[in-house]
Amino acid sequence: MIWKEILIRYGELSTKGRNKMDFIRRLRENIRYAFADLGHLHIRTERDRMFIAIQDEAQMKVLVEGLPKIFGIQSFSPVAACDKDMDAMKQLAITIMDTFKHEQLTFKVEVKRTDKTFPLDSHGIQREIGGHVLPQYQNLSVKVKHPDVELRVEVRHDSTYMMAQVIPGAGGMPVGSNGKSLLMLSGGIDSPVAGYLMMKRGVRLEAIHFFSPPYTSQNSLEKVKVLANELTKFGASIRLHVIPFTEIQVLIKEKVPSNVSMTTTRRMMLKVADKVREEINALAIVTGESLGQVASQTLESLTAINAVTNTPILRPLISNDKLDIIEIAEKIGTYETSIQPFEDCCTIFTPASPKTKPKLEKVEHYESFSDFDDLIERAVKNREVYIFPKKEQPTDKFANLL
């Protein structure tokens, strides 16, 4: 096997100051967590790059497929190795450049000679390898500045290392480096995208979902579980808090005028979420709201909803239009699940003509005739918690014999 290691570039992490190593340590632990099934990974960290040692081709394939989903990685490159011998180095260069033989490209050879005892200097190595590679490929031409492919050669004390492929990473910050927040996760398109964007900024998530049986089905809950599990592929586990919300919604339908019932429903959800947030020591609440998208997401509605808490409400989609959000959902793999036609509690009891500019004082007046506090406490207490990703339970091959 020619592959020796994977070189990881930090990107944005490289701009950090004294706490830079804390971010790098978090990234290293997230990588270990994401690839726990591979066993213990040997990871070497430096201030500007990280190296993962490769044991075999199978491990290499899993890492190359999974690393683009880990936040905090700007790009990475598979690194091959050979002996410090010019014939071996030329052969390795050909093996690597074979990857690019099917399209017209510009290239150059860049050499770093860490081992100064090697007979040829950097320019000499560059001429030898470039002169050997170029005649082999009719599709290649030399370009010194900004080539399509840069074959990088590093002659170290133990071996010669080469790379040419640069694979884009997810960018952003390592999950967990910017605290924890509670994501209000519905079964729709928007909230999983909001969760993804906050994870990209280093926020660790727990999620909360409001479930109203028999008005919402078990299928709608299973859909949300799938969405929560999808978000874990970006490098962190997620706890999903499922809130029994039927009692509260029925009371709202009975006691609050229909044109402001949606506003009250959102306010009660936020009150419940804030209590769960406090219990789990999260710093903020995340929603998938986009300004003006629906009646409950006008500036007046958001102001009335926000009035129930002083907790920061993070809305990463606030300025995005629906097409932007759908594009991200398709990219991260949540769109097809989100559009499955199973109702959630936000779509039941929907009034025909909801207020788009509700007055806070009127909403509070209507709510004052009902005691929501006890129902909120009971809903929080009776919630169910699921942990994702779900660990596969080993099957008992003798179970059916008894």
Side-chain angles (χ1 to χ4, degrees):
M1 185 185 70
I2 65 169
W3 304 112
K4 181 77 172 180
E5 59 194 14
I6 292 178
L7 181 151
I8 292 173
R9 302 173 188 87
Y10 302 138
E12 186 176 352
L13 298 190
S14 298
T15 66
K16 299 300 176 183
R18 295 180 180 178
N19 59 350
K20 179 176 179 177
M21 294 309 297
D22 293 334
F23 286 92
I24 293 172
R25 278 192 290 271
R26 171 60 64 183
L27 174 58
R28 181 183 62 206
E29 294 310 308
N30 288 353
I31 291 172
R32 290 194 191 281
Y33 174 82
F35 298 103
D37 291 346
L38 295 179
H40 180 74
L41 293 177
H42 181 71
I43 302 176
R44 187 174 85 257
T45 59
E46 298 179 1
R47 287 195 61 83
D48 295 313
R49 55 187 183 176
M50 179 183 294
F51 297 91
I52 305 176
I54 301 300
Q55 296 177 350
D56 53 49
E57 293 282 358
Q59 185 191 63
M60 172 76 174
K61 181 179 179 181
V62 172
L63 287 167
V64 169
E65 289 178 354
L67 284 173
K69 300 172 184 175
I70 307 298
F71 292 124
I73 298 175
Q74 188 66 26
S75 66
F76 64 95
S77 297
V79 180
C82 67
D83 293 335
K84 293 189 295 181
D85 171 81
M86 280 310 306
D87 288 337
M89 291 159 64
K90 290 176 181 178
Q91 182 56 51
L92 181 58
I94 293 295
T95 302
I96 291 174
M97 293 305 297
D98 267 347
T99 309
F100 307 99
K101 64 184 178 182
H102 298 297
E103 52 185 321
Q104 292 293 320
L105 296 170
T106 59
F107 96 112
K108 77 169 184 177
V109 179
E110 189 68 33
V111 177
K112 180 179 180 181
R113 190 182 61 144
T114 304
D115 181 4
K116 302 302 182 183
T117 64
F118 191 78
L120 291 176
D121 63 13
S122 296
H123 292 297
I125 299 170
Q126 191 176 38
R127 286 193 301 271
E128 287 284 330
I129 293 179
H132 182 73
V133 169
L134 190 59
Q136 310 292 326
Y137 300 97
Q138 299 301 312
N139 63 312
L140 293 182
S141 60
V142 175
K143 185 179 180 183
V144 177
K145 291 186 178 180
H146 310 298
D148 297 319
V149 178
E150 184 176 299
L151 178 61
R152 303 180 187 181
V153 181
E154 184 172 346
V155 182
R156 303 182 198 170
H157 290 283
D158 58 335
S159 298
T160 298
Y161 294 79
M162 291 189 198
M163 69 185 112
Q165 190 178 12
V166 178
I167 302 171
M173 309 294 293
V175 174
S177 61
N178 274 323
K180 181 168 69 173
S181 292
L182 180 65
L183 170 67
M184 297 180 72
L185 183 62
S186 72
I189 297 170
D190 301 341
S191 56
V193 174
Y196 162 82
L197 293 176
M198 293 311 303
M199 293 174 76
K200 187 171 183 177
R201 298 314 305 158
V203 176
R204 182 174 295 280
L205 295 179
E206 295 198 26
I208 186 170
H209 176 70
F210 297 88
F211 185 47
S212 296
Y215 304 102
T216 53
S217 67
Q218 189 65 31
N219 285 334
S220 71
L221 178 57
E222 291 304 317
K223 180 169 81 166
V224 170
K225 291 180 182 179
V226 171
L227 291 172
N229 197 60
E230 280 294 306
L231 289 175
T232 66
K233 68 187 181 184
F234 299 105
S237 62
I238 289 178
R239 287 201 302 171
L240 174 65
H241 303 258
V242 177
I243 302 294
F245 200 57
T246 308
E247 281 187 307
I248 296 174
Q249 275 200 283
V250 169
L251 183 60
I252 293 171
K253 184 178 185 296
E254 293 175 350
K255 300 297 186 180
V256 177
S258 63
N259 61 350
V260 294
S261 62
M262 183 60 71
T263 301
T264 294
T265 300
R266 299 287 188 179
R267 282 164 57 86
M268 295 305 118
M269 286 180 172
L270 196 52
K271 282 187 175 184
V272 172
D274 207 23
K275 287 187 175 295
V276 174
R277 175 206 61 80
E278 189 174 358
E279 284 189 17
I280 65 174
N281 296 316
L283 300 176
I285 295 171
V286 180
T287 79
E289 292 159 325
S290 172
L291 190 61
Q293 188 176 125
V294 294
S296 64
Q297 296 177 23
T298 63
L299 198 54
E300 291 83 358
S301 292
L302 294 177
T303 300
I305 295 166
N306 270 29
V308 301
T309 181
N310 292 320
T311 297
I313 309 298
L314 306 179
R315 297 181 170 98
L317 304 181
I318 196 68
S319 66
N320 290 74
D321 65 35
K322 197 66 177 184
L323 293 180
D324 295 333
I325 298 168
I326 289 173
E327 183 178 348
I328 299 173
E330 290 175 334
K331 183 183 78 171
I332 67 176
T334 59
Y335 179 73
E336 293 299 327
T337 300
S338 291
I339 62 174
Q340 291 177 4
F342 303 121
E343 71 293 321
D344 60 33
C345 69
C346 296
T347 60
I348 64 174
F349 306 148
T350 302
S353 301
K355 283 274 189 183
T356 59
K357 297 182 179 180
K359 300 295 184 184
L360 176 59
E361 58 273 16
K362 286 190 176 182
V363 174
E364 290 176 335
H365 171 72
Y366 296 135
E367 292 172 4
S368 68
F369 296 103
S370 303
D371 184 8
F372 287 101
D373 291 343
D374 287 345
L375 296 184
I376 289 171
E377 292 289 346
R378 185 153 64 241
V380 172
K381 181 180 178 181
N382 293 335
R383 73 186 187 271
E384 295 182 346
V385 180
Y386 302 87
I387 300 175
F388 300 96
K390 294 181 71 172
K391 293 183 178 179
E392 295 292 334
Q393 296 295 325
T395 57
D396 184 357
K397 62 183 179 180
F398 301 110
N400 294 327
L401 296 179
L402 300 178

